[in-house]
Amino acid sequence: MSVIELLKENLQQKWSFEKEMKIQTEMIPAMLEGKDIVAESPTGSGKTLAYTLPILNKVNGSKKAIQALIQQLIGGANSARQIEKLKKKPTIVVGTPGRLNELVRSGKLKLKDIETIVLDECDQLLSREYRVVVKSFIDGAAY
């Protein structure tokens, strides 16, 4: 059985790859079970889909609340535009620790409904530079 068969039908129908990658085969079932995961895989190995598909499977798009937070090290988006988008209560928020922290401190980003947190490039996000900020996101989340 393919791990894609574990996903909701609408996500299965959108799957256009010939087969899953090893990281997806390992991560998708674990994430669907709600397990905490630490995974390492080279660039181009399918990590992003490995965590994105279970998040999309889990979140309730009709619920007006941020349910998942994905932290990455690449940013640069316009702050004012991000604040406007947050007013629409997106289901998933992606950002750098610095920008996310800025939004939380200003009261624009609420963590209380977040059930899933992804640290993309975890080794770097848990370095001394970001550790305290990242931990504050985890402590403020609902899960």
Side-chain angles (χ1 to χ4, degrees), residues 118-132:
V118 173
L119 306 179
D120 194 352
E121 304 296 340
C122 181
D123 56 332
Q124 295 176 45
L125 288 170
L126 293 178
S127 69
R128 185 179 308 246
E129 181 181 357
Y130 301 112
R131 188 176 306 143
V132 173

Side-chain angles (χ1 to χ4, degrees), residues 52-97:
T52 304
L53 289 173
I55 289 172
L56 292 173
N57 195 75
K58 179 181 180 180
V59 297
N60 177 351
S62 62
K63 182 179 176 184
K64 291 290 185 184
I66 298 166
Q67 301 164 55
L69 181 69
I70 301 172
Q71 295 182 57
Q72 298 180 327
L73 291 174
I74 298 171
N78 179 288
S79 180
R81 188 169 54 231
Q82 288 178 327
I83 291 169
E84 284 304 309
K85 289 184 184 245
L86 283 173
K87 290 178 184 177
K88 296 177 183 176
K89 304 284 186 213
T91 305
I92 302 169
V93 170
V94 180
T96 64

Side-chain angles (χ1 to χ4, degrees), residues 8 27-38 47-60 63 65-72 90-95 100 109-120 125 134 136-143:
K8 292 178 182 172
M27 276 184 62
I28 290 173
M31 282 192 71
L32 291 173
E33 291 173 18
K35 293 182 178 178
D36 291 339
I37 299 169
V38 175
K47 285 187 304 290
T48 303
L49 275 178
Y51 66 74
T52 304
L53 289 173
I55 289 172
L56 292 173
N57 195 75
K58 179 181 180 180
V59 297
N60 177 351
K63 182 179 176 184
I66 298 166
Q67 301 164 55
L69 181 69
I70 301 172
Q71 295 182 57
Q72 298 180 327
T91 305
I92 302 169
V93 170
V94 180
L100 294 171
L109 174 61
K110 309 284 191 233
L111 303 174
K112 65 181 175 48
D113 293 319
I114 294 173
E115 299 173 358
T116 304
I117 297 177
V118 173
L119 306 179
D120 194 352
L125 288 170
V134 170
S136 73
F137 298 141
I138 295 168
D139 292 343
Y143 78 101

